[in-house]
Amino acid sequence: MGYADVGRAEVLRAIAECDRLGAEEFRKRYGFGQARRFVLVYEGREYDSKAVVGVAHGFLTDQKPLRASDFSGGQATVTRLLTGLGFTVVDRAQVPAPPVDAEKVVVWERGRVLEPAPRQERTTSAVQRLRYVAALVKAIHEDRCQFCGTRLDLGYGHFSNAAHIRALGAPHHGPDHTDNVLCLCPNCHAQFDARALYVDEDDNVRHVNAGQPLGPLRRDPRHRIAAEHLAYHRSLPVDPARAQALADDRA
């Protein structure tokens, strides 16, 4: 039996084994190194995809766990196996966006170039986000807003925002995990960040100035949302300063 015979039940048992041991001890015990790019994402947590499949093989009848050297097909075969079983594998390789050339940023009026847009140097410090977390949530929901159902069509594709429920920055320090992210349209995202929209205890989306709920939170079984993050967001008051900052950013 090869690892192609591994099924969903065996993978789930391997995931449970990793949760029990912890990722570092799991890799050490079964002879795997840490995954550099490809990870299995399950219920908001990351697992070394090849290690999980190797350990899962040991749960087949009369079989032993595989070591890293036993994988002749490479990562592509492991990814096909896991995705075929309904799991999600993501590539966390980060591709930086090309730098913006200030000299090529111009102002247009009726098709005529007027002048380079004014630039101001600014030094900032920002939380480094895991781009694949946002991409995974938006892919699961196919860019459809979990609040209002809007799916923006840009002509060549669709667009949505990945909204953190508990903000990453101080003083909230939320995790950059899929269970702390919602797929929202820009309108709902702005209202959610300003705390004008929130999700109540019964999974209804509400506006602070509306008596009736706007509708249920749209869920997908592939995307776990942590109840504690929604409760934290509910505990925050409406923030007029945040609302004004959002308005200024979009001006």
Side-chain angles (χ1 to χ4, degrees):
M1 263 186 202
Y3 58 86
D5 298 301
V6 169
R8 185 175 177 86
E10 289 77 34
V11 172
L12 291 174
R13 290 182 67 181
I15 288 173
E17 174 79 348
C18 183
D19 289 340
R20 184 180 69 83
L21 295 175
E24 185 175 352
E25 176 61 26
F26 180 76
R27 291 191 295 266
K28 180 179 178 181
R29 178 171 298 190
Y30 292 102
F32 286 87
Q34 184 173 7
R36 295 183 178 181
R37 287 183 55 182
F38 295 94
V39 292
L40 165 64
V41 178
Y42 182 71
E43 292 189 346
R45 295 184 178 183
E46 298 176 6
Y47 301 86
D48 299 287
S49 55
K50 192 174 290 187
V52 165
V53 173
V55 174
H57 186 267
F59 292 116
L60 292 169
T61 304
D62 298 326
Q63 297 298 313
K64 296 180 180 180
L66 300 176
R67 298 277 174 166
S69 57
D70 296 322
F71 286 81
S72 57
Q75 181 61 47
T77 304
V78 172
T79 298
R80 282 196 300 271
L81 170 65
L82 290 171
T83 54
L85 294 173
F87 294 99
T88 299
V89 178
V90 298
D91 181 357
R92 55 175 158 188
Q94 299 296 307
V95 181
V100 176
D101 186 346
E103 296 299 322
K104 295 181 181 179
V105 179
V106 297
V107 177
W108 289 79
E109 181 180 280
R110 295 181 182 177
R112 182 167 59 94
V113 178
L114 298 180
E115 60 182 0
R119 312 293 291 179
Q120 181 180 14
E121 290 188 6
R122 182 183 300 173
T123 300
T124 61
S125 176
V127 175
Q128 184 175 1
R129 302 186 179 207
L130 301 175
R131 293 172 58 189
Y132 67 87
V133 170
L136 176 58
V137 171
K138 293 196 287 184
I140 288 173
H141 296 280
E142 297 180 335
D143 291 309
R144 192 173 301 280
C145 180
Q146 290 182 258
F147 283 2
C148 68
T150 297
R151 189 173 187 234
L152 298 178
D153 188 345
L154 302 184
Y156 58 87
H158 298 93
F159 177 79
S160 62
N161 289 160
H164 286 85
I165 303 169
R166 183 171 185 150
L168 301 185
H172 312 289
H173 302 297
D176 200 9
H177 295 160
T178 56
D179 64 3
N180 187 40
V181 174
L182 296 172
C183 177
L184 300 179
C185 70
N187 284 346
C188 289
H189 188 187
Q191 294 179 86
F192 186 69
D193 275 1
R195 300 160 200 163
L197 286 181
Y198 65 96
V199 180
D200 70 15
E201 295 88 342
D202 297 318
D203 246 14
N204 292 312
V205 179
R206 291 183 176 273
H207 191 283
V208 293
N209 293 330
Q212 297 297 319
L214 305 181
L217 175 66
R218 298 164 185 266
R219 287 185 177 266
D220 186 291
R222 296 170 294 174
H223 176 206
R224 175 183 175 273
I225 301 170
E228 58 267 29
H229 297 321
L230 292 175
Y232 179 85
H233 183 270
R234 278 196 302 274
S235 72
L236 301 174
V238 176
D239 188 350
R242 176 62 174 158
Q244 185 60 54
L246 289 167
D248 292 343
D249 285 344
R250 288 162 172 78

